[in-house]
Amino acid sequence: SCMDPPLLTFLSAALGRQCQTGTLIITTEYPLPLTGTIPPLDGDDTMPFGEYELEIVEVLDGDCELLGGVSTAYIHRVVSSLYQPGIDGVGPRSKPVPTLEQICQGLVVEIEEGTLVDTEQFTKVIHNDMMFKGLGVDTLREMNDRANRKVEESGPSSDNDNDDEDDNQATKVTRYMI
């Protein structure tokens, strides 16, 4: 199964942070860890941290008609959690949105430290964020056109010229996202 112990622990911690006391959670085939400690979140001192607890209310076995055999359902209840209501006292707490300056500063730090090494993953995240925020394919095409014009204006590049290599990387990034 894809639900190995570290993934179950991560899922249990996420539920312990985000679900209100009394919430029922149902898993199949594997129970969640029932207790845990959630460490402070880097970069967000306002995010709650500490202990959470779940309990198993019931375990049900039943026939699995699709695959055959028996399937087990675990019904958990959140006993204690780190849930905090949103600003208006209703609904979930909203995640703070970093400013553009904070985002850029983080990117510069990652580049300087050499930790921003997976440009494909980076561009996937940017692409998904743009789509989620409704910027769409037209915005990506505009970015790609601008990057292409910049490369064309700078003339042909050689593999030894780092500036041209950076321009070509920007073009590759926007082309990948489209």
Side-chain angles (χ1 to χ4, degrees):
S1 169
C2 65
M3 299 296 269
D4 59 354
L7 181 60
L8 288 170
T9 300
F10 180 77
L11 178 60
S12 181
L15 295 167
R17 184 189 302 268
Q18 298 175 16
C19 291
Q20 294 183 42
T21 300
T23 300
L24 294 177
I25 302 162
I26 302 171
T27 61
T28 56
E29 309 313 329
Y30 298 95
L32 294 170
L34 300 178
T35 60
T37 302
I38 299 173
L41 189 63
D42 289 338
D44 187 358
D45 298 335
T46 66
M47 185 65 85
F49 58 91
E51 306 286 322
Y52 68 91
E53 181 181 357
L54 310 175
E55 68 179 353
I56 294 181
V57 177
E58 193 166 351
V59 178
L60 301 170
D61 289 327
D63 293 331
C64 180
E65 293 182 21
L66 183 62
L67 300 173
V70 175
S71 186
T72 303
Y74 296 89
I75 303 174
H76 306 77
R77 179 183 301 124
V78 177
V79 176
S80 63
S81 74
L82 303 174
Y83 173 82
Q84 291 181 342
I87 294 172
D88 58 0
V90 181
R93 179 183 178 279
S94 60
K95 182 178 179 179
V97 178
T99 65
L100 184 56
E101 182 179 335
Q102 291 170 327
I103 293 169
C104 292
Q105 183 181 15
L107 283 172
V108 168
V109 168
E110 287 182 20
I111 290 168
E112 288 175 349
E113 292 176 348
T115 56
L116 183 64
V117 293
D118 188 352
T119 55
E120 186 172 319
Q121 177 62 26
F122 174 75
T123 55
K124 283 180 184 178
V125 169
I126 296 296
H127 177 264
N128 289 341
D129 284 349
M130 290 178 75
M131 292 299 129
F132 180 74
K133 293 175 181 169
L135 296 176
V137 175
D138 292 337
T139 305
L140 293 174
R141 285 198 178 107
E142 276 181 38
M143 290 172 59
N144 189 49
D145 291 345
R146 272 190 253 141
N148 283 334
R149 281 193 301 274
K150 184 176 180 181
V151 169
E152 289 168 3
E153 290 169 4
S154 67
S157 65
S158 66
D159 290 338
N160 297 330
D161 188 0
N162 287 338
D163 292 335
D164 287 340
E165 187 176 304
D166 291 341
D167 290 341
N168 289 334
Q169 184 64 27
T171 303
K172 287 179 189 173
V173 166
T174 56
R175 283 186 183 148
Y176 173 79
M177 292 192 304
I178 292 176

